[in-house]
Amino acid sequence: QVHLVESGGGSVQAGGSLRLSCASSVTTSSFGCMGWFRQHLGKQREAVAGICTDDESNYAEPAKGRFTISRDNAKNTLYLEMDNLEPEDIGMYYCAAATYFRGPNGRLDPSNYNYWGQGTQVTVSS
């Protein structure tokens, strides 16, 4: 059974950094893709970044140049390094995993992901 557990969220000031981690109960190399999504209160869940078996990664526009997604298959852990955080980055951040790699467009498509963690909260104060 697949369990994804996020950690690393917290409260920072604008311009600060956080590193999110997602520990998987099964080997991360077995997933076609893994990704990070976020949801701010009252808004729809949105993609942040995704990385797949081809080791290519995609970023949503707000994350480009500030966030970095990476995967350590030896530790079965997915990471999201977030720098230069802004109040607009506030939200619950979710780790997700997809059984299959359905092509580049699937990296940021939540419908492609069939396993989800419980989330970790990120708060940024101005």
Side-chain angles (χ1 to χ4, degrees), residues 33-37 49-52 95-99 106-116:
C33 291
M34 296 193 75
W36 288 97
F37 296 79
I51 186 168
C52 298
C95 169
T99 302
R107 292 193 191 97
L108 298 180
D109 181 359
S111 67
N112 185 47
Y113 291 82
N114 47 334
Y115 300 106
W116 293 83

PDB file of all heavy atoms in Angstrom, residues 33-37 49-52 95-99 106-116:
ATOM      1  N   CYS A  33       5.502   9.203 -12.303  1.00  0.00           N
ATOM      2  CA  CYS A  33       5.735  10.614 -12.003  1.00  0.00           C
ATOM      3  C   CYS A  33       5.496  10.872 -10.521  1.00  0.00           C
ATOM      4  O   CYS A  33       4.741  10.152  -9.872  1.00  0.00           O
ATOM      5  CB  CYS A  33       4.768  11.518 -12.783  1.00  0.00           C
ATOM      6  SG  CYS A  33       5.010  11.602 -14.546  1.00  0.00           S
ATOM      7  N   MET A  34       6.129  11.915 -10.021  1.00  0.00           N
ATOM      8  CA  MET A  34       5.812  12.444  -8.697  1.00  0.00           C
ATOM      9  C   MET A  34       5.721  13.953  -8.810  1.00  0.00           C
ATOM     10  O   MET A  34       6.405  14.558  -9.652  1.00  0.00           O
ATOM     11  CB  MET A  34       6.870  12.044  -7.668  1.00  0.00           C
ATOM     12  CG  MET A  34       6.961  10.558  -7.434  1.00  0.00           C
ATOM     13  SD  MET A  34       7.944  10.136  -5.975  1.00  0.00           S
ATOM     14  CE  MET A  34       6.781  10.565  -4.660  1.00  0.00           C
ATOM     15  N   GLY A  35       4.866  14.538  -7.985  1.00  0.00           N
ATOM     16  CA  GLY A  35       4.675  15.959  -8.118  1.00  0.00           C
ATOM     17  C   GLY A  35       4.262  16.635  -6.828  1.00  0.00           C
ATOM     18  O   GLY A  35       3.956  15.971  -5.828  1.00  0.00           O
ATOM     19  N   TRP A  36       4.277  17.946  -6.880  1.00  0.00           N
ATOM     20  CA  TRP A  36       3.812  18.782  -5.783  1.00  0.00           C
ATOM     21  C   TRP A  36       2.660  19.645  -6.285  1.00  0.00           C
ATOM     22  O   TRP A  36       2.732  20.235  -7.385  1.00  0.00           O
ATOM     23  CB  TRP A  36       4.929  19.678  -5.264  1.00  0.00           C
ATOM     24  CG  TRP A  36       5.995  18.962  -4.503  1.00  0.00           C
ATOM     25  CD1 TRP A  36       7.198  18.520  -4.988  1.00  0.00           C
ATOM     26  CD2 TRP A  36       5.960  18.584  -3.123  1.00  0.00           C
ATOM     27  NE1 TRP A  36       7.902  17.895  -3.991  1.00  0.00           N
ATOM     28  CE2 TRP A  36       7.167  17.925  -2.835  1.00  0.00           C
ATOM     29  CE3 TRP A  36       5.023  18.749  -2.099  1.00  0.00           C
ATOM     30  CZ2 TRP A  36       7.474  17.424  -1.560  1.00  0.00           C
ATOM     31  CZ3 TRP A  36       5.326  18.253  -0.843  1.00  0.00           C
ATOM     32  CH2 TRP A  36       6.534  17.597  -0.582  1.00  0.00           C
ATOM     33  N   PHE A  37       1.636  19.703  -5.475  1.00  0.00           N
ATOM     34  CA  PHE A  37       0.475  20.536  -5.757  1.00  0.00           C
ATOM     35  C   PHE A  37       0.186  21.367  -4.515  1.00  0.00           C
ATOM     36  O   PHE A  37       0.617  21.025  -3.416  1.00  0.00           O
ATOM     37  CB  PHE A  37      -0.737  19.674  -6.118  1.00  0.00           C
ATOM     38  CG  PHE A  37      -0.543  18.885  -7.379  1.00  0.00           C
ATOM     39  CD1 PHE A  37       0.204  17.719  -7.386  1.00  0.00           C
ATOM     40  CD2 PHE A  37      -1.091  19.332  -8.568  1.00  0.00           C
ATOM     41  CE1 PHE A  37       0.403  17.000  -8.561  1.00  0.00           C
ATOM     42  CE2 PHE A  37      -0.906  18.622  -9.754  1.00  0.00           C
ATOM     43  CZ  PHE A  37      -0.152  17.457  -9.736  1.00  0.00           C
ATOM     44  N   ALA A  49       4.909  21.577  -9.358  1.00  0.00           N
ATOM     45  CA  ALA A  49       6.017  20.994 -10.122  1.00  0.00           C
ATOM     46  C   ALA A  49       5.832  19.487 -10.201  1.00  0.00           C
ATOM     47  O   ALA A  49       5.205  18.877  -9.340  1.00  0.00           O
ATOM     48  CB  ALA A  49       7.357  21.315  -9.468  1.00  0.00           C
ATOM     49  N   GLY A  50       6.390  18.885 -11.263  1.00  0.00           N
ATOM     50  CA  GLY A  50       6.321  17.443 -11.423  1.00  0.00           C
ATOM     51  C   GLY A  50       7.603  16.925 -12.037  1.00  0.00           C
ATOM     52  O   GLY A  50       8.276  17.620 -12.806  1.00  0.00           O
ATOM     53  N   ILE A  51       7.945  15.686 -11.682  1.00  0.00           N
ATOM     54  CA  ILE A  51       9.136  15.048 -12.222  1.00  0.00           C
ATOM     55  C   ILE A  51       8.785  13.596 -12.521  1.00  0.00           C
ATOM     56  O   ILE A  51       8.081  12.951 -11.745  1.00  0.00           O
ATOM     57  CB  ILE A  51      10.323  15.158 -11.236  1.00  0.00           C
ATOM     58  CG1 ILE A  51      11.605  14.614 -11.853  1.00  0.00           C
ATOM     59  CG2 ILE A  51      10.012  14.464  -9.906  1.00  0.00           C
ATOM     60  CD1 ILE A  51      12.845  14.958 -11.041  1.00  0.00           C
ATOM     61  N   CYS A  52       9.262  13.089 -13.665  1.00  0.00           N
ATOM     62  CA  CYS A  52       8.855  11.756 -14.094  1.00  0.00           C
ATOM     63  C   CYS A  52      10.071  10.870 -14.366  1.00  0.00           C
ATOM     64  O   CYS A  52      11.203  11.271 -14.142  1.00  0.00           O
ATOM     65  CB  CYS A  52       7.961  11.867 -15.330  1.00  0.00           C
ATOM     66  SG  CYS A  52       6.439  12.782 -15.006  1.00  0.00           S
ATOM     67  N   CYS A  95       1.996  16.256  -1.748  1.00  0.00           N
ATOM     68  CA  CYS A  95       2.831  15.387  -2.563  1.00  0.00           C
ATOM     69  C   CYS A  95       1.913  14.390  -3.269  1.00  0.00           C
ATOM     70  O   CYS A  95       0.913  13.943  -2.683  1.00  0.00           O
ATOM     71  CB  CYS A  95       3.813  14.665  -1.643  1.00  0.00           C
ATOM     72  SG  CYS A  95       4.725  13.321  -2.395  1.00  0.00           S
ATOM     73  N   ALA A  96       2.238  14.047  -4.491  1.00  0.00           N
ATOM     74  CA  ALA A  96       1.422  13.084  -5.229  1.00  0.00           C
ATOM     75  C   ALA A  96       2.312  12.175  -6.064  1.00  0.00           C
ATOM     76  O   ALA A  96       3.419  12.562  -6.444  1.00  0.00           O
ATOM     77  CB  ALA A  96       0.433  13.816  -6.129  1.00  0.00           C
ATOM     78  N   ALA A  97       1.789  10.997  -6.344  1.00  0.00           N
ATOM     79  CA  ALA A  97       2.526  10.033  -7.161  1.00  0.00           C
ATOM     80  C   ALA A  97       1.590   9.416  -8.189  1.00  0.00           C
ATOM     81  O   ALA A  97       0.415   9.171  -7.894  1.00  0.00           O
ATOM     82  CB  ALA A  97       3.145   8.944  -6.289  1.00  0.00           C
ATOM     83  N   ALA A  98       2.117   9.186  -9.373  1.00  0.00           N
ATOM     84  CA  ALA A  98       1.352   8.585 -10.454  1.00  0.00           C
ATOM     85  C   ALA A  98       1.972   7.257 -10.838  1.00  0.00           C
ATOM     86  O   ALA A  98       3.193   7.151 -10.969  1.00  0.00           O
ATOM     87  CB  ALA A  98       1.329   9.516 -11.660  1.00  0.00           C
ATOM     88  N   THR A  99       1.142   6.273 -11.028  1.00  0.00           N
ATOM     89  CA  THR A  99       1.643   4.952 -11.421  1.00  0.00           C
ATOM     90  C   THR A  99       2.324   5.002 -12.784  1.00  0.00           C
ATOM     91  O   THR A  99       3.367   4.382 -13.001  1.00  0.00           O
ATOM     92  CB  THR A  99       0.499   3.944 -11.459  1.00  0.00           C
ATOM     93  OG1 THR A  99      -0.113   3.896 -10.174  1.00  0.00           O
ATOM     94  CG2 THR A  99       1.002   2.560 -11.837  1.00  0.00           C
ATOM     95  N   GLY A 106       1.537  15.242 -18.622  1.00  0.00           N
ATOM     96  CA  GLY A 106       1.022  14.611 -17.419  1.00  0.00           C
ATOM     97  C   GLY A 106       1.698  15.058 -16.142  1.00  0.00           C
ATOM     98  O   GLY A 106       1.193  14.818 -15.051  1.00  0.00           O
ATOM     99  N   ARG A 107       2.862  15.712 -16.265  1.00  0.00           N
ATOM    100  CA  ARG A 107       3.618  16.065 -15.069  1.00  0.00           C
ATOM    101  C   ARG A 107       2.837  17.020 -14.162  1.00  0.00           C
ATOM    102  O   ARG A 107       2.940  16.943 -12.941  1.00  0.00           O
ATOM    103  CB  ARG A 107       4.950  16.703 -15.449  1.00  0.00           C
ATOM    104  CG  ARG A 107       5.915  15.751 -16.108  1.00  0.00           C
ATOM    105  CD  ARG A 107       7.305  16.334 -16.172  1.00  0.00           C
ATOM    106  NE  ARG A 107       8.162  15.522 -17.025  1.00  0.00           N
ATOM    107  CZ  ARG A 107       8.404  15.787 -18.292  1.00  0.00           C
ATOM    108  NH1 ARG A 107       7.890  16.851 -18.861  1.00  0.00           N
ATOM    109  NH2 ARG A 107       9.178  14.992 -18.997  1.00  0.00           N
ATOM    110  N   LEU A 108       2.080  17.910 -14.745  1.00  0.00           N
ATOM    111  CA  LEU A 108       1.358  18.918 -13.961  1.00  0.00           C
ATOM    112  C   LEU A 108      -0.149  18.701 -13.980  1.00  0.00           C
ATOM    113  O   LEU A 108      -0.896  19.575 -13.537  1.00  0.00           O
ATOM    114  CB  LEU A 108       1.686  20.324 -14.495  1.00  0.00           C
ATOM    115  CG  LEU A 108       3.157  20.739 -14.405  1.00  0.00           C
ATOM    116  CD1 LEU A 108       3.332  22.148 -14.956  1.00  0.00           C
ATOM    117  CD2 LEU A 108       3.654  20.667 -12.961  1.00  0.00           C
ATOM    118  N   ASP A 109      -0.592  17.562 -14.452  1.00  0.00           N
ATOM    119  CA  ASP A 109      -2.023  17.265 -14.537  1.00  0.00           C
ATOM    120  C   ASP A 109      -2.438  16.438 -13.330  1.00  0.00           C
ATOM    121  O   ASP A 109      -2.075  15.262 -13.230  1.00  0.00           O
ATOM    122  CB  ASP A 109      -2.305  16.515 -15.831  1.00  0.00           C
ATOM    123  CG  ASP A 109      -3.781  16.205 -15.998  1.00  0.00           C
ATOM    124  OD1 ASP A 109      -4.569  16.555 -15.097  1.00  0.00           O
ATOM    125  OD2 ASP A 109      -4.136  15.627 -17.030  1.00  0.00           O
ATOM    126  N   PRO A 110      -3.203  17.005 -12.399  1.00  0.00           N
ATOM    127  CA  PRO A 110      -3.569  16.264 -11.184  1.00  0.00           C
ATOM    128  C   PRO A 110      -4.351  14.990 -11.470  1.00  0.00           C
ATOM    129  O   PRO A 110      -4.288  14.041 -10.676  1.00  0.00           O
ATOM    130  CB  PRO A 110      -4.396  17.268 -10.380  1.00  0.00           C
ATOM    131  CG  PRO A 110      -4.826  18.307 -11.356  1.00  0.00           C
ATOM    132  CD  PRO A 110      -3.792  18.365 -12.404  1.00  0.00           C
ATOM    133  N   SER A 111      -5.066  14.929 -12.592  1.00  0.00           N
ATOM    134  CA  SER A 111      -5.835  13.730 -12.909  1.00  0.00           C
ATOM    135  C   SER A 111      -4.925  12.551 -13.229  1.00  0.00           C
ATOM    136  O   SER A 111      -5.365  11.399 -13.247  1.00  0.00           O
ATOM    137  CB  SER A 111      -6.793  13.986 -14.069  1.00  0.00           C
ATOM    138  OG  SER A 111      -6.080  14.210 -15.275  1.00  0.00           O
ATOM    139  N   ASN A 112      -3.648  12.825 -13.478  1.00  0.00           N
ATOM    140  CA  ASN A 112      -2.685  11.767 -13.766  1.00  0.00           C
ATOM    141  C   ASN A 112      -2.198  11.087 -12.494  1.00  0.00           C
ATOM    142  O   ASN A 112      -1.618  10.011 -12.564  1.00  0.00           O
ATOM    143  CB  ASN A 112      -1.494  12.361 -14.518  1.00  0.00           C
ATOM    144  CG  ASN A 112      -0.482  11.323 -14.969  1.00  0.00           C
ATOM    145  OD1 ASN A 112      -0.842  10.287 -15.532  1.00  0.00           O
ATOM    146  ND2 ASN A 112       0.788  11.580 -14.696  1.00  0.00           N
ATOM    147  N   TYR A 113      -2.443  11.702 -11.347  1.00  0.00           N
ATOM    148  CA  TYR A 113      -1.888  11.218 -10.089  1.00  0.00           C
ATOM    149  C   TYR A 113      -2.935  10.428  -9.297  1.00  0.00           C
ATOM    150  O   TYR A 113      -4.062  10.897  -9.112  1.00  0.00           O
ATOM    151  CB  TYR A 113      -1.366  12.388  -9.258  1.00  0.00           C
ATOM    152  CG  TYR A 113      -0.133  13.021  -9.861  1.00  0.00           C
ATOM    153  CD1 TYR A 113      -0.235  13.951 -10.900  1.00  0.00           C
ATOM    154  CD2 TYR A 113       1.126  12.667  -9.425  1.00  0.00           C
ATOM    155  CE1 TYR A 113       0.901  14.505 -11.474  1.00  0.00           C
ATOM    156  CE2 TYR A 113       2.266  13.221  -9.978  1.00  0.00           C
ATOM    157  CZ  TYR A 113       2.144  14.144 -11.008  1.00  0.00           C
ATOM    158  OH  TYR A 113       3.267  14.683 -11.578  1.00  0.00           O
ATOM    159  N   ASN A 114      -2.541   9.260  -8.836  1.00  0.00           N
ATOM    160  CA  ASN A 114      -3.494   8.418  -8.120  1.00  0.00           C
ATOM    161  C   ASN A 114      -3.154   8.181  -6.648  1.00  0.00           C
ATOM    162  O   ASN A 114      -3.896   7.490  -5.955  1.00  0.00           O
ATOM    163  CB  ASN A 114      -3.695   7.078  -8.847  1.00  0.00           C
ATOM    164  CG  ASN A 114      -2.393   6.424  -9.261  1.00  0.00           C
ATOM    165  OD1 ASN A 114      -1.371   7.062  -9.460  1.00  0.00           O
ATOM    166  ND2 ASN A 114      -2.427   5.105  -9.414  1.00  0.00           N
ATOM    167  N   TYR A 115      -2.043   8.743  -6.173  1.00  0.00           N
ATOM    168  CA  TYR A 115      -1.720   8.653  -4.746  1.00  0.00           C
ATOM    169  C   TYR A 115      -1.411  10.057  -4.237  1.00  0.00           C
ATOM    170  O   TYR A 115      -0.676  10.812  -4.886  1.00  0.00           O
ATOM    171  CB  TYR A 115      -0.509   7.747  -4.514  1.00  0.00           C
ATOM    172  CG  TYR A 115      -0.708   6.335  -5.004  1.00  0.00           C
ATOM    173  CD1 TYR A 115      -0.078   5.886  -6.161  1.00  0.00           C
ATOM    174  CD2 TYR A 115      -1.531   5.450  -4.315  1.00  0.00           C
ATOM    175  CE1 TYR A 115      -0.254   4.594  -6.622  1.00  0.00           C
ATOM    176  CE2 TYR A 115      -1.716   4.150  -4.769  1.00  0.00           C
ATOM    177  CZ  TYR A 115      -1.076   3.732  -5.928  1.00  0.00           C
ATOM    178  OH  TYR A 115      -1.270   2.459  -6.377  1.00  0.00           O
ATOM    179  N   TRP A 116      -1.947  10.377  -3.048  1.00  0.00           N
ATOM    180  CA  TRP A 116      -1.793  11.721  -2.489  1.00  0.00           C
ATOM    181  C   TRP A 116      -1.444  11.637  -1.008  1.00  0.00           C
ATOM    182  O   TRP A 116      -1.926  10.767  -0.290  1.00  0.00           O
ATOM    183  CB  TRP A 116      -3.090  12.516  -2.650  1.00  0.00           C
ATOM    184  CG  TRP A 116      -3.415  12.815  -4.076  1.00  0.00           C
ATOM    185  CD1 TRP A 116      -4.040  11.992  -4.969  1.00  0.00           C
ATOM    186  CD2 TRP A 116      -3.115  14.017  -4.793  1.00  0.00           C
ATOM    187  NE1 TRP A 116      -4.141  12.606  -6.190  1.00  0.00           N
ATOM    188  CE2 TRP A 116      -3.587  13.855  -6.112  1.00  0.00           C
ATOM    189  CE3 TRP A 116      -2.499  15.217  -4.450  1.00  0.00           C
ATOM    190  CZ2 TRP A 116      -3.464  14.854  -7.091  1.00  0.00           C
ATOM    191  CZ3 TRP A 116      -2.367  16.211  -5.410  1.00  0.00           C
ATOM    192  CH2 TRP A 116      -2.853  16.021  -6.713  1.00  0.00           C
TER     193      TRP A 116
END
